[in-house]
Amino acid sequence: MEKKKYQSIDYGWIPVGYNSLMRKIILIIGDIFCLYLATSIAMALELGNKQTDKIAFHLEFLPILVIMMFFMFNVYGLFSLIRKKLVDIFLNLLVAVTNIYIMAMAMTFFFRQFDYSRVVLVYSAVFSFVLLAIWQYICHQWEWKHFPKQTAVLFAAGEEAERIKNKLAKTYGLEQALQSVCDSCQQANWQQLIDANYYVFIGAELPIADKEKILRYARSTKKQIFFVPTMYELACKNTGILVVDDIPMQRVTRMLLTAEQRVLKRILDITVAVTALILLSPAMVITAIMIRVDSKGSVLYSQERVGLYGETFFVHKFRSMKQDAEAKCGPVLAAEGDPRITKFGRFMRATRLDELPQLFNVLKGEMSIVGPRPERPFFVKQFIAQKPEYDYRHNVKPGITGLAQIAGKYNTSAYDKLIYDLLYIQDVSVKTDLMIMLQTFKVLLTKSSTEGVQGK
C-alpha cells in the first residue's frame, strides 16, 4: 500500500490531523483532571470526610462544571494554545474560570440547593485557576518547543505591503516568519516563493487576476492562505444559490437583518440591558459621585451619533473629559495621553465604566448591546467619502460592544474596523451576540484595547 503523504506542517511520521487531535485530547483530559482535583482539594479543606451528603452533591455537580468549562474554554479559545502569548492564555483562563463559577453559584441558587457549600465553590475557583494555569503553561511550552517555525511570503505592494509587514512583525509567533514580499504575479519567481514557504499572505489591493492565480497554485501545494478581504470578497461570504435554468448563480447578501433576527436581537437586548442596570446600579451611582468630585461639570455627556439607516441620535456616556473639551479644537478623536481626559476619566475609559449609560440607549431602541460602534456625523462623512461601503455598517443598530471591539483596538484603522463590522452583520445571531458579550469581559482587562490613536 502506498504510504500517505502529508504536505502541510511536518511533525515527522505522525499525520498532521492525528497529531493535532491527540494534542487537543491530551489538553482537554488535563483540563478536566485539574477541575476534578481542584474540587477535591476544596472539599477536603472545607468539608473533611464527614459531611458525606454534601460531598456526594458536589461530586454530582462536577459534570455540570465540566460542561460549563467546555463552553467557556471554547469561547475564550483555550482548547488551542498555538501562537498565544502566555499572558493572553492566563487572562482568558481567569475570565473563563470566573464565569464558570459565577454560573455555578447562580445555578445552586436556582435549584435551591442552599445546603450546597459556596465556600467550596470559592476554593474550587481559586484552585482551578492555579492548577489549570500550571497545566496550560506546561502544554504551551511543549507546543512552543515542538511546533515547527514556518515561514511566509506576502503578496502585496507599496504602502499596503509595509503595513502588513509591520503588523506581522507584531504578531506573536510570526515575528520572524516573513521571508519574501512579491508585488505581483508578473514577478518570474512567484511560484517558487510559494513553494519555499508555508504561509501565503495576500493583500487587498492586489489585482483579482493575480489573487486567483496565487490561490489556485497555493491550494494545489497545500499551503495555508490568508488574505485581507475587499468589499467584493466580503459580499461573496455566506452566499445563497439561484439556479437560472441550468446556470448556477450566487445570491449576494444584502447585509440586512431578517424580521426574525431583529425580534430575537431586541429580546436579547432588553433582557441584558435590564439585568445589567439592576446589577450595576451601585457602580453607576459611585461613578457619578466620583465624576463630580474629580472635576467640574455635568456627570453625563450626550453626543450626536449616527445610528440605524443613517438616522442620528444622542448617545449617553459618563463624562470622562473636561467640560467643553472640544469647544476650541472641534471634533477630534481621543489621542494617546490626551490632556482633555480627566484623572478619573482615564480609569473609566480603562474599565469601560463610561459606557454604562448607553444601556438606556439600548432600552430606548436606539442601540443594541452588540453591533458596530456609533460614530459622530463629522467622521462618518469623512469615512464614507474615503470608503463608500462604510455606510453598510448602518444597516444594523450600533452597539455598546462589537466584533471590532473584541478583535481590534481603539486605534485600529477605520477600514479594518469596518471589515469586522461587515463580517458581524453577515453573521448576526443570538449565539454570535452572546459570544461577543462573553469575549468583552476579557477586553475590559486588556490595556491595549483602550489606547487612543497615535499622535502625529
Side-chain angles (χ1 to χ4, degrees), residues 57-350:
F57 181 79
H58 279 279
L59 292 175
E60 291 172 2
F61 194 72
L62 265 172
I64 298 177
L65 287 178
V66 171
I67 292 171
M68 289 190 287
M69 183 197 75
F70 268 88
F71 174 72
M72 288 296 174
F73 277 28
N74 183 59
V75 169
Y76 293 106
L78 290 167
F79 289 140
S80 176
L81 306 180
I82 296 174
R83 292 197 178 83
K84 288 187 174 71
K85 295 180 181 179
L86 277 172
V87 64
D88 291 331
I89 292 172
F90 293 153
L91 180 60
N92 287 339
L93 187 61
L94 177 62
V95 178
V97 170
T98 301
N99 286 337
I100 289 169
Y101 284 95
I102 288 175
M103 290 169 60
M105 190 81 73
M107 287 185 69
T108 59
F109 279 105
F110 180 77
F111 290 115
R112 300 187 180 278
Q113 294 289 345
F114 291 102
D115 59 338
Y116 186 81
S117 175
R118 271 80 189 181
V119 177
V120 171
L121 269 183
V122 174
Y123 284 166
S124 297
V126 174
F127 288 119
S128 291
F129 174 74
V130 173
L131 293 173
L132 285 165
I134 294 172
W135 171 241
Q136 299 240 339
Y137 172 81
I138 293 171
C139 292
H140 177 272
Q141 293 301 298
W142 188 91
E143 289 198 355
W144 182 252
K145 181 179 179 181
H146 292 88
F147 192 83
K149 304 300 185 290
Q150 298 292 344
T151 58
V153 57
L154 168 63
F155 288 88
E159 293 183 2
E160 184 183 36
E162 288 301 314
R163 187 173 77 93
I164 297 175
K165 283 171 58 178
N166 292 334
K167 295 295 184 180
L168 284 172
K170 297 177 182 177
T171 302
Y172 184 72
L174 294 175
E175 299 94 336
Q176 307 297 325
L178 187 61
Q179 301 295 306
S180 308
V181 178
C182 183
D183 58 9
S184 73
C185 289
Q186 304 304 312
Q187 192 169 315
N189 66 335
W190 70 271
Q191 290 181 327
Q192 286 75 19
L193 291 175
I194 293 177
D195 291 334
N197 297 280
Y198 177 68
Y199 296 115
V200 178
F201 292 92
I202 304 173
E205 298 174 8
L206 206 68
I208 191 167
D210 282 4
K211 290 182 181 181
E212 289 181 354
K213 290 180 182 178
I214 295 166
L215 285 170
R216 190 178 298 115
Y217 186 78
R219 291 185 71 176
S220 71
T221 54
K222 305 295 189 298
K223 303 299 181 179
Q224 180 67 66
I225 308 165
F226 301 93
F227 65 90
V228 181
T230 63
M231 186 62 196
Y232 172 81
E233 285 143 0
L234 283 174
C236 294
K237 183 178 182 290
N238 296 341
T239 55
I241 295 294
L242 173 67
V243 178
V244 179
D245 192 7
D246 58 349
I247 301 175
M249 289 189 175
Q250 286 186 305
R251 177 180 56 82
V252 176
T253 176
R254 295 183 297 166
M255 292 191 181
L256 294 170
L257 303 191
T258 64
E260 295 85 353
Q261 287 174 320
R262 291 197 300 270
V263 170
L264 290 173
K265 192 169 177 61
R266 183 61 182 152
I267 292 172
L268 180 64
D269 285 340
I270 293 173
T271 302
V272 174
V274 170
T275 304
L277 282 171
I278 293 172
L279 296 176
L280 297 174
S281 55
M284 295 178 71
V285 171
I286 294 172
T287 299
I289 294 172
M290 291 301 298
I291 292 171
R292 294 302 298 268
V293 171
D294 182 53
S295 62
K296 295 180 181 180
S298 60
V299 170
L300 292 177
Y301 176 62
S302 297
Q303 190 178 67
E304 189 178 25
R305 299 289 176 102
V306 178
L308 183 64
Y309 305 137
E311 297 292 328
T312 59
F313 70 101
F314 283 90
V315 68
H316 307 302
K317 301 176 72 172
F318 282 124
R319 181 176 58 83
S320 60
M321 288 189 174
K322 297 173 183 177
Q323 190 75 11
D324 300 323
E326 294 184 338
K328 294 182 180 179
C329 64
V332 179
L333 292 172
E336 191 173 351
D338 199 318
R340 299 173 299 166
I341 302 175
T342 64
K343 292 180 180 179
F344 187 66
R346 296 190 188 283
F347 172 77
M348 285 193 295
R349 285 180 172 236

Side-chain angles (χ1 to χ4, degrees), residues 124 270 389 405 411 428:
S124 297
I270 293 173
E389 57 266 35
Q405 281 61 54
N411 55 10
V428 170

Side-chain angles (χ1 to χ4, degrees), residues 3-43:
K3 185 178 179 181
K4 190 172 183 180
K5 296 180 180 179
Y6 297 89
Q7 299 181 13
S8 52
I9 299 175
D10 181 19
Y11 286 98
W13 62 271
I14 303 176
V16 173
Y18 175 80
N19 186 283
S20 177
L21 177 62
M22 286 303 298
R23 287 186 294 111
K24 186 166 290 189
I25 290 173
I26 292 170
L27 177 64
I28 292 172
I29 291 173
D31 291 337
I32 295 172
F33 176 75
C34 288
L35 202 65
Y36 271 76
L37 182 59
T39 302
S40 300
I41 295 172
M43 287 191 298

Side-chain angles (χ1 to χ4, degrees), residues 27 209 349 370 417 423:
L27 177 64
R349 285 180 172 236
V370 178
K417 287 184 178 179
L423 286 171

Side-chain angles (χ1 to χ4, degrees), residues 46-58 115 117:
E46 177 63 17
L47 304 178
N49 57 5
K50 296 180 180 180
Q51 303 183 53
T52 54
D53 291 342
K54 288 187 177 181
I55 291 174
F57 181 79
H58 279 279
D115 59 338
S117 175

Side-chain angles (χ1 to χ4, degrees), residues 403-429:
L403 184 58
Q405 281 61 54
I406 65 170
K409 304 175 183 177
Y410 182 85
N411 55 10
T412 297
S413 71
Y415 183 74
D416 287 338
K417 287 184 178 179
L418 172 62
I419 297 298
Y420 285 125
D421 291 334
L422 297 184
L423 286 171
Y424 166 73
I425 293 172
Q426 290 181 305
D427 197 30
V428 170
S429 67

